[in-house]
Amino acid sequence: MSGKRTDYISWDEYFMGVAHLAGLRSKDPNTRVGACIVSEDNKILSMGYNGFPRGCEDEDFPWEREGEELETKYPYVTHGELNAILNYRGGSLEGTKLYVSLFPCNECAKAIIQAGIRTVVFDSDKYEGTPMNRASKRMFDAAGVTYLPYSRSGREIRIML
């Protein structure tokens, strides 16, 4: 049988799938974000998802989105991108690529730039146009970080759990 096989997923499908799978570990009832950092030769270096820092138990901190600031999740949650950066124990992330299910906020954009990540592939940009989103893009542009929307192939990929 000659001819090229086409029944396998692309690298982008694989790594974005890993990012989404990592996001399923999040206990956030509203927004589950996963991230996957990949080397230039397509090796997974680290993963992360949004959640509270180590030692901060889920039952002891709020998941609410509205209310008094200290009674919401925002001052406490570590985003998936930052967790992926912090989880990496191998040295430099210079020149790597980040796959993330949601476009990075301005705080994560700073960490991505400082870590040396050169490309961000994102699935959703649901906060497009907000001040934080515009700040992220402005910093990425200034620092030379490429950001690309994930291009879906149209193929349905299902993970049976």
Side-chain angles (χ1 to χ4, degrees):
M1 179 182 227
S2 65
K4 191 174 180 182
R5 286 185 57 191
T6 59
D7 60 341
Y8 56 89
I9 61 175
S10 70
W11 286 118
D12 279 351
E13 289 170 313
Y14 176 63
F15 296 131
M16 188 58 75
V18 169
H20 277 284
L21 189 60
L24 292 178
R25 284 286 308 145
S26 174
K27 294 182 179 93
D28 188 327
N30 299 296
T31 308
R32 292 178 157 182
V33 178
C36 177
I37 301 174
V38 179
S39 69
E40 294 177 77
D41 61 344
N42 293 321
K43 304 285 188 284
I44 295 174
L45 300 176
S46 187
M47 294 178 287
Y49 56 89
N50 58 319
F52 299 128
R54 262 188 215 127
C56 299
E57 298 302 320
D58 296 319
E59 303 77 34
D60 298 335
F61 288 86
W63 285 111
E64 283 74 26
R65 297 171 69 171
E66 296 178 9
E68 293 289 324
E69 186 173 3
L70 293 178
E71 297 305 317
T72 68
K73 65 182 179 177
Y74 300 110
Y76 309 108
V77 169
T78 304
H79 290 177
E81 307 94 298
L82 184 57
N83 267 327
I85 292 168
L86 295 172
N87 287 339
Y88 184 60
R89 299 286 186 248
S92 175
L93 290 172
E94 194 70 40
T96 57
K97 186 183 283 189
L98 172 76
Y99 287 81
V100 62
S101 55
L102 181 63
F103 192 88
C105 72
N106 62 307
E107 294 299 321
C108 288
K110 295 175 199 177
I112 290 164
I113 293 165
Q114 290 299 94
I117 295 169
R118 303 308 305 156
T119 305
V120 174
V121 180
F122 62 93
D123 194 13
S124 170
D125 195 5
K126 77 176 184 177
Y127 298 110
E128 184 176 17
T130 63
M132 307 297 187
N133 181 273
R134 290 178 19 229
S136 294
K137 291 176 180 174
R138 183 176 177 185
M139 287 186 285
F140 283 159
D141 290 342
V145 174
T146 302
Y147 49 96
L148 308 164
Y150 171 62
S151 180
R152 294 182 179 277
S153 66
R155 172 194 343 235
E156 181 180 354
I157 300 171
R158 295 168 60 184
I159 298 170
M160 306 302 285
L161 301 175

